[in-house]
Amino acid sequence: MNNNSYWIPSAAGWLALASRLPALRRAPHDPLLRAVCAVFFFASSSFTLANPTLVGYVNHGTGITNAAAPLVYSLILAQSASVVVLILRWRGGPADQVNRRVRQWSLAYASAAAVLFLLFAAGRTPVERPVDFDTYYANTPFIREMITLYLVASMAAAVAMFVLCWRWSTRVYDRTWLRRGLRLLVVGTVFHFGFDAARLTAVFARWAGADWDWLCLAAPAIGAVGTLCVAVGFTLPLITERISAVRALYDSYRTLRALRPLWETLQAAQPSGAVSVPAPWWAVRLRLTRRITEIHDGLLALRPYYDSSPPPSSESAGPQSMASALHRAIRNKTAGKPPTPTAERTGPLRTLAEPLPLTSLVQLSRSLTTCHTGEHHL
C-alpha cells in the first residue's frame, strides 16, 4: 500500500500547525486560535498514527495487539469535533450560545472516545491488522460496536459541518474569499463523509457475508483529499485577508503620497495648521487621516480669501479650476488682501468651501503639479 495517502496530509497538517504556534504563544487564551490549532493537531496526529508503518510501532511499543486502533479512532473523533467547534467559533454569534454548543459537541465526542476504549478493552483482537482492522473484526463482539460507533460519529460530524459551512456560505455575499473557503470546506466534508461511508459499507458487506475490503483500501486516499480541502478552506480566507490588508495599506501609502503637494501648499500658506505631535512613519493610516484633516482645515482657513467673482472659465468645479481658485486665494492671503464676506459661492469656490471627498482631494493635489496660473508654485 502506498503510504503517501498518510504522509502527505499529515506533513501538511504539521506544517500548518507550526505556522500557527507563534500566534498561539502570543495569545494562548484566544478561543478561535486554539480551535484552529486543535484541528491541525488532531488531523495531523490521526493521519500520522494511522500510517501502517507507525501502527506496528505503537502496537509493539505498548505490548497490546492493535492498541493503535482505538487511539487512531479517538483522534479521528477529536478531529471531527474540533472542526465543528472551529466553525462555531469562526462563525460567531451570542457568546453564551456558542459556548454552550461547543461544550455539547466536546462532551459528546469525548464521551464517545471514552466508550471506544471501553469497547476495545471488552473485545478480543488477537491478530494484528494494521490496514484492514475494520473489516477483519467487523463481526467480533464489542469490536464491531466500537467500529460502528466511530464511523457513525465521524459521519455525523461531517454532516453537521456540511450544513454549517453551506448555510454560512450563502450569507456572506460581500466576502468573496470567505465564501470560497467555506465552499471548499463543504467539499472537504463530502470527502470525509465518503471516507467514513466507504469503511462503513465495507463493514456492512462483511455483516452480509460479502468481501468489499477494497473500499477500506481506497478510503485513506479519499480522506487525504478531504483533509487537504479542509486545511486549504480554513487557511484561504486568512491568507487573502492578510493580502487585502497589505493592499489596503499600500493604497493608503499611495494616497498619502498623492496628497503631499496639496498638503505642502496649504502648510506653506497656513503654517499654524500643522499638527505638532509627530506620527510614526509606519502608522500610515494615522498619517493619512491626519493629513486629510489638516488639508480640510487649510481649505477652510482660506475660505475668506477666495475670489467672490471668479472668471467664467472657472465656474466648472473641475480639479484644474479648483487648483486655480486655490492659488488665487493663497495669493490674496499672501498679498495681505482683506478677507471678503462669506457670501454664497458657486462653482469651484463653493466646492473648496465645503469638505471634499478623498478622490476630489487627490485630483486637486495632482492638479496643483500641472496647474500653471502665471505664479510660482507656493
Side-chain angles (χ1 to χ4, degrees), residues 12-371:
W14 289 122
L15 289 174
L17 176 61
S19 68
R20 304 308 300 165
L21 287 180
L24 183 63
R25 283 195 294 266
R26 291 191 298 269
H29 301 294
D30 186 340
L32 181 59
L33 189 56
R34 292 168 64 180
V36 171
C37 292
V39 168
F40 289 139
F41 174 78
F42 289 124
S44 305
S45 299
S46 61
F47 268 98
T48 300
L49 294 181
N51 191 312
T53 303
L54 296 182
V55 166
Y57 290 124
V58 173
N59 295 337
H60 297 158
T62 59
I64 302 174
T65 306
N66 296 308
L71 180 59
V72 172
Y73 293 170
S74 62
L75 288 173
I76 292 175
L77 293 188
Q79 174 196 355
S80 301
S82 63
V83 169
V84 176
V85 168
L86 176 54
I87 294 297
L88 293 173
R89 295 286 190 194
W90 194 10
R91 187 183 60 175
D96 293 340
Q97 180 180 353
V98 172
N99 291 333
R100 183 174 65 255
R101 297 189 66 181
V102 166
R103 286 193 299 268
Q104 290 172 348
W105 275 95
S106 301
L107 179 60
Y109 277 73
S111 301
V115 172
L116 289 180
F117 284 96
L118 293 177
L119 291 172
F120 179 78
R124 294 183 67 255
T125 57
V127 181
E128 185 179 54
R129 309 299 298 188
V131 176
D132 59 346
F133 180 90
D134 294 354
T135 53
Y136 188 86
Y137 290 105
N139 292 304
T140 303
F142 298 108
I143 305 302
R144 173 184 57 224
E145 287 75 13
M146 181 189 75
I147 296 170
T148 305
L149 173 61
Y150 111 82
L151 289 174
V152 171
S154 181
M155 292 173 69
V159 172
M161 185 179 171
F162 179 93
V163 173
L164 288 172
C165 293
W166 180 261
R167 287 181 178 175
W168 190 12
S169 68
T170 60
R171 300 171 184 171
V172 285
Y173 305 104
D174 56 338
R175 301 179 65 180
T176 303
W177 286 106
L178 175 58
R179 185 173 66 253
R180 292 174 180 174
L182 291 172
R183 295 290 171 84
L184 197 55
L185 288 174
V186 168
V187 175
T189 60
V190 172
F191 277 99
H192 274 298
F193 187 89
F195 168 85
D196 297 323
R199 286 183 172 271
L200 191 58
T201 302
V203 171
F204 287 163
R206 279 300 184 106
W207 292 355
D211 184 356
W212 289 6
D213 291 9
W214 60 271
L215 287 174
C216 283
L217 299 179
I222 299 174
V225 174
T227 298
L228 292 177
C229 289
V230 170
V232 175
F234 277 128
T235 56
L236 185 63
L238 299 177
I239 294 175
T240 53
E241 285 180 3
R242 291 185 179 181
I243 294 176
S244 299
V246 172
R247 183 180 300 173
L249 185 63
Y250 176 70
D251 291 341
S252 297
Y253 177 75
R254 291 186 59 189
T255 304
L256 184 71
R257 291 288 301 271
L259 291 176
R260 186 176 182 86
L262 176 58
W263 178 80
E264 289 180 341
T265 299
L266 293 173
Q267 293 306 312
Q270 191 80 11
S272 60
V275 178
S276 59
V277 180
W281 64 268
W282 63 85
V284 177
R285 292 187 179 88
L286 175 61
R287 293 170 59 197
L288 177 60
T289 301
R290 196 176 72 174
R291 179 159 294 183
I292 293 172
T293 302
E294 292 174 355
I295 288 175
H296 280 135
D297 291 343
L299 293 175
L300 183 62
L302 290 173
R303 183 179 182 181
Y305 298 96
Y306 296 139
D307 290 341
S308 57
S309 301
S313 60
S314 300
E315 287 297 321
S316 173
Q320 291 290 340
S321 59
M322 286 192 292
S324 300
L326 179 60
H327 276 300
R328 289 195 299 272
I330 295 176
R331 181 184 59 193
N332 293 338
K333 182 178 183 300
T334 304
K337 183 177 179 179
T340 58
T342 56
E344 180 70 20
R345 311 235 182 235
T346 60
L349 305 181
R350 177 167 184 167
T351 303
L352 286 171
E354 297 175 351
L356 292 172
L358 182 59
T359 54
S360 298
L361 290 178
V362 172
Q363 293 175 355
L364 175 59
S365 182
R366 290 172 178 168
S367 297
L368 289 175
T369 61
T370 58
C371 179

